């Protein structure tokens, strides 16, 4: 029974990390650039609209569920130390630190600052936001995709 739960958590986490990493990849490679082409005020409005909508969407259960599953896989990997445990624990740690904590510590405060500015500051907030948010989004992208790969390695090791 425990094996089925662990396998289910690994599959859920691998898929969740892949989905979230893909979303972040899209932001890093073309969405932010498209918003910037709209100009500071309209770009900030578009990003603010996404930030309001995303917390009401199906993204949040995937975001939170993958984080919780990744935390569980860290503990399970460290306690059980069975085939693939290093990949399982490393994938969980990379995801929780590189995606979840980076989001909380860097991206969310930047989102809040952008919303507070309201896009009416001549683009100063947007310029700083775009550069900083993109940097931390690249980190989240890499962490999510690396965690996905490590979870697949853990699945294959079984």
């Amino acid at each position: 029974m425990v094996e089925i739960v662990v396998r289910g958590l690994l599959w859920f986490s691998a898929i969740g990390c892949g989905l979230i990493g893909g979303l972040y990849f899209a932001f890093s490679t073309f969405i932010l650039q498209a918003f910037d082409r709209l100009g500071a005020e309209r770009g900030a409005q578009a990003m603010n609209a996404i930030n309001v909508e995303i917390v009401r969407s199906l993204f949040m259960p995937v975001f939170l569920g993958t984080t919780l599953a990744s935390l569980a896989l860290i503990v399970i990997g460290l306690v059980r130390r069975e085939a693939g445990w290093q990949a399982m624990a490393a994938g969980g740690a990379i995801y929780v630190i590189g995606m979840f904590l980076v989001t909380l510590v860097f991206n969310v405060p930047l989102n809040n600052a952008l919303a507070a500015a309201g896009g009416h500051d001549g683009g100063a907030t947007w310029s700083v936001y775009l550069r900083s948010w993109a940097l931390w989004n690249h980190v989240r992208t890499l962490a999510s995709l690396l965690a996905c790969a490590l979870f697949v390695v853990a699945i294959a090791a079984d």
Side-chain angles (χ1 to χ4, degrees):
M1 179 65 170
V2 173
E3 290 303 318
I4 293 171
V5 171
V6 172
R7 205 141 179 75
L9 286 171
L10 280 168
W11 277 103
F12 175 81
S13 295
I15 292 167
C17 289
L19 286 169
I20 289 173
L23 173 68
Y24 294 157
F25 179 78
F27 268 90
S28 287
T29 58
F30 64 89
I31 294 173
L32 289 176
Q33 292 81 357
F35 287 171
D36 195 36
R37 292 186 111 175
L38 297 172
E41 188 171 341
R42 289 178 50 205
Q45 288 171 347
M47 193 65 184
N48 283 331
I50 285 175
N51 289 333
V52 168
E53 194 58 37
I54 201 164
V55 296
R56 298 186 242 180
S57 73
L58 187 55
F59 172 82
M60 287 309 290
V62 174
F63 176 84
L64 295 172
T66 304
T67 301
L68 292 174
S70 294
L71 282 168
L73 289 169
I74 295 168
V75 173
I76 292 166
L78 293 173
V79 170
R80 297 189 71 216
R81 294 188 184 247
E82 293 181 1
W85 75 270
Q86 297 99 332
M88 183 186 315
I94 288 168
Y95 186 78
V96 169
I97 294 166
M99 192 293 298
F100 186 73
L101 290 179
V102 164
T103 298
L104 292 183
V105 173
F106 298 105
N107 293 88
V108 169
L110 287 164
N111 290 344
N112 293 341
L114 185 67
H120 303 294
D121 64 353
T125 300
W126 176 248
S127 177
V128 169
Y129 175 87
L130 196 60
R131 197 170 41 258
S132 298
W133 196 93
L135 169 69
W136 292 111
N137 193 65
H138 297 335
V139 171
R140 298 187 309 170
T141 302
L142 291 173
S144 297
L145 297 177
L146 180 56
C148 177
L150 286 166
F151 290 142
V152 170
V153 167
I155 292 165
D158 191 25

